[in-house]
Amino acid sequence: MSFQNPLPAGVRQVVPDFVSDGQTVLFGFPYRVWAAADIAVFWRAAGSSVWAALVNGIDFTVAINGTTSANITLTTP
């Protein structure tokens, strides 16, 4: 059985920013994730104010670790 009940924007959990060192590709966080499609990853160059969305399955992948956490792996640091 499947149930789809999208959360309104005001209720969604926003994870604090993760700052890359330009070499790291694996980022873990201790938050429950129900589906990889629930994850959005954005990046911006240092000093820029313009954000761009990365594409799940192309620019990054999501590994859900049961009900406790998830990992995001970037294809490029």
Side-chain angles (χ1 to χ4, degrees):
M1 178 169 119
S2 108
F3 177 75
Q4 203 166 21
N5 187 16
L7 296 173
V11 177
R12 294 180 189 143
Q13 182 176 6
V14 176
V15 177
D17 293 342
F18 287 92
V19 178
S20 174
D21 59 6
Q23 297 177 359
T24 303
V25 294
L26 178 65
F27 295 88
F29 53 96
Y31 301 101
R32 177 178 279 177
V33 176
W34 297 107
D38 294 337
I39 301 292
V41 177
F42 295 87
W43 76 276
R44 70 176 173 88
S48 174
S49 62
V50 179
W51 290 88
L54 298 180
V55 178
N56 188 354
I58 296 173
D59 300 315
F60 70 95
T61 56
V62 178
I64 299 173
N65 305 316
T67 60
T68 59
S69 64
N71 293 325
I72 294 175
T73 304
L74 302 175
T75 54
T76 303

